[in-house]
Amino acid sequence: MALRHLACTFIILTGFFGCRNNTETAIIPDNCRLSAGDVVFRKGEGMTSRAVVFADKGGVYSHVGIVADSAGIPMIIHAVPGEPDFDGDPDRVKMDTPRKFFSSVNASAGEVCRFRGSPEVARRAAMYAIQVYRRGTLFDHDYDDTDTTKMYCCELVEAAYTHAGMPLTDGRKHCLSFPGMGTYRCMLPSDILNSPKLSRYMVFTDGKKQ
């Protein structure tokens, strides 16, 4: 509820009612080689994405996922609202191709980070994410990381690496305060991006490396 409320507040404050680009391409470079356990970030241009960046003071990205190996093919597992695959598809944890995750409809910029430690730890984190996807986990609109029956994007990535024995955020969270609604504590993408356990592998915008 916290970030959903922030999205509404952001719209009111900025008067932003932008349209999304319907010409779909992929911004991830063809030479980007993903590995299981890689943590991937993207910045969207939609209202909710802008609200997340607005809340994440100093942050760059609005969404995060984790790469997993699916029968030898790298896929991205992420918890996301508002991206149904079919009519009636609930907000949930999804497994998408990198090209879909980094579609220009959903992303204007992206980054791939790699775990600095053992590849086995990264592999275990990826396997946990697959389990979360396969159990049909719904998106957590309350952004409550004490309850893993539902998950939001940062919660999923952090839970995966915590399960593998290497939590990324070391407890870092943001405090979000709303008049009449109290204060919420939740992880935002910068809490994961700034982890010393991750190294930058590739940053890109519009399909070009930086």
Side-chain angles (χ1 to χ4, degrees), residues 33-140:
R33 300 290 179 259
L34 298 175
S35 298
D38 284 354
V39 180
V40 293
F41 300 84
R42 77 184 187 200
K43 178 184 179 183
E45 295 299 327
M47 290 178 288
T48 300
S49 297
R50 288 174 179 252
V52 172
V53 174
F54 179 79
D56 197 354
K57 304 299 185 183
V60 177
Y61 301 108
S62 56
H63 191 51
V64 60
I66 183 170
V67 177
D69 183 295
S70 178
I73 299 173
M75 301 289 285
I76 295 175
I77 298 177
H78 60 125
V80 62
E83 293 184 21
D85 288 333
F86 51 85
D87 288 343
D89 189 12
D91 294 338
R92 59 186 171 87
V93 174
K94 300 179 63 177
M95 179 188 286
D96 285 329
T97 65
R99 292 187 63 83
K100 183 174 181 181
F101 182 87
F102 287 114
S103 162
S104 59
V105 172
N106 298 318
S108 61
E111 181 165 348
V112 179
C113 291
R114 189 151 288 168
F115 182 65
R116 291 181 181 273
S118 167
E120 178 59 23
V121 171
R123 188 192 69 81
R124 290 202 303 268
M127 289 298 297
Y128 177 83
I130 289 177
Q131 294 173 15
V132 173
Y133 162 72
R134 288 177 175 168
R135 75 187 187 204
T137 305
L138 297 178
F139 185 84
D140 183 3

Side-chain angles (χ1 to χ4, degrees), residues 191-203:
D191 295 318
I192 295 175
L193 180 66
N194 293 330
S195 173
K197 297 172 186 174
L198 297 177
S199 63
R200 175 174 289 184
Y201 170 63
M202 189 176 289
V203 183

Side-chain angles (χ1 to χ4, degrees), residues 5 13 16 21 41 54 60 62 80 121 125-126 143 156 171 176 205:
H5 182 268
L13 291 176
F16 174 74
N21 178 8
F41 300 84
F54 179 79
V60 177
S62 56
V80 62
V121 171
Y143 297 88
L156 168 62
L176 306 178
T205 303

Side-chain angles (χ1 to χ4, degrees), residues 25-37:
T25 59
I27 71 168
I28 185 170
D30 291 337
N31 65 343
C32 184
R33 300 290 179 259
L34 298 175
S35 298

Side-chain angles (χ1 to χ4, degrees), residues 163-182:
H163 181 81
M166 284 289 177
L168 298 176
T169 68
D170 295 322
R172 287 186 301 276
K173 293 183 180 180
H174 278 66
C175 287
L176 306 178
S177 297
F178 304 99
M181 294 186 65

